[in-house]
Amino acid sequence: MRQFDLIAFDWDGTLFDSTAIITRSIQAAVRDVGGTEPSAAAASWVIGMALPQALAHAAPDVAPEHYPLLGERYRHHYRQHQDDVTLFDGVLPLLHDLKSRHHWLAVATGKSRRGLNEALQAVALQRVFDGSRTADETAGKPHPLMLHELMREFGVEPERTLMVGDTTHDLQMAINAGCAALGVSYGAHASDELHALRPRHVAHSVRELHDWLLAHA
């Protein structure tokens, strides 16, 4: 018997190997608008948040009236390198194994709808996921609305829902929604930060994630 009917995945840093490029794009965007360049740790910490919130947090000395330009420059730098990133090795077999066990699979991401659609098309995964929510069409993480909407869509209770993510924003969203959480340490946030939020498990590789989900989900 399945423990979880609905498994929601973060995208960047959990399924998609994009943490380094997002981090560098944030740093470059802040430089472009004359802000103090955040450290790599500070820039990667905001990954998973909705973009306006993330950029404001990463660039506290940039005036709010410059936020639209900051977002434009981030998108410019990211698009210069978006073809350099792809799925982590092992993600496709993981997703196909979960589908064969009749889990509903969803994406809950800080990306925009346009950004997620482009990413899904680039790796031919449009038909693998049963649903998705993006930060520009609902509340951003760690607000639980993304998960609440997905659970309503599929008629799944919180105790039958698992959120998988690489950031504390993902895990806190799961807590706020009353759902179980599973962390992965190969993305944006360090293992000790993830453990502090007491997820069911923290996986250190896609292979370990795969094995845990097949054994426990």
Side-chain angles (χ1 to χ4, degrees):
M1 178 182 292
R2 292 191 305 268
Q3 182 175 359
F4 301 110
D5 294 318
L6 173 62
I7 302 177
F9 290 91
D10 174 56
W11 183 257
D12 289 307
T14 301
L15 301 178
F16 206 59
D17 188 6
S18 50
T19 299
I21 287 176
I22 293 174
T23 299
R24 290 196 295 269
S25 297
I26 291 171
Q27 292 174 309
V30 176
R31 289 198 307 270
D32 287 352
V33 300
T36 302
E37 180 180 325
S39 67
S44 65
W45 189 84
V46 304
I47 294 174
M49 294 179 174
L51 183 60
Q53 179 187 5
L55 294 176
H57 193 282
D61 61 338
V62 172
E65 59 265 28
H66 294 148
Y67 287 173
L69 177 60
L70 184 60
E72 179 184 317
R73 296 309 300 166
Y74 166 79
R75 287 185 286 269
H76 166 78
H77 289 292
Y78 182 82
R79 286 173 182 156
Q80 300 303 304
H81 300 283
Q82 64 183 2
D83 294 334
D84 300 335
V85 294
T86 188
L87 296 171
F88 286 105
D89 289 342
V91 163
L92 284 177
L94 164 63
L95 296 175
H96 289 309
D97 279 354
L98 293 174
K99 289 289 283 186
S100 72
R101 291 166 55 138
H102 307 294
H103 296 281
W104 280 309
L105 303 182
V107 175
T109 178
K111 296 179 82 66
S112 67
R113 171 54 59 186
R114 176 182 174 182
L116 178 61
N117 286 348
E118 289 176 350
L120 289 171
Q121 184 174 2
V123 293
L125 284 183
Q126 302 97 313
R127 297 186 180 183
V128 171
F129 292 100
D130 302 292
S132 61
R133 289 295 186 278
T134 61
D136 61 341
E137 60 191 12
T138 186
K141 302 171 186 178
H143 195 285
L145 187 57
M146 273 189 204
L147 289 177
H148 285 163
E149 290 180 352
L150 287 167
M151 288 187 286
R152 283 198 299 269
E153 180 176 339
F154 295 101
V156 178
E157 296 300 319
E159 60 268 21
R160 304 286 293 176
T161 301
L162 176 68
M163 178 67 204
V164 183
D166 69 306
T167 72
T168 55
H169 316 306
D170 299 312
L171 305 191
Q172 187 62 55
M173 178 175 65
I175 292 170
N176 294 344
C179 302
L182 179 64
V184 300
S185 67
Y186 51 80
H189 288 188
S191 178
D192 58 344
E193 295 178 282
L194 301 174
H195 277 294
L197 292 176
R198 305 182 70 179
R200 294 291 180 92
H201 181 67
V202 174
H204 302 294
S205 66
V206 175
R207 179 72 258 175
E208 185 181 345
L209 173 63
H210 192 159
D211 291 344
W212 191 95
L213 288 172
L214 292 188
H216 301 285

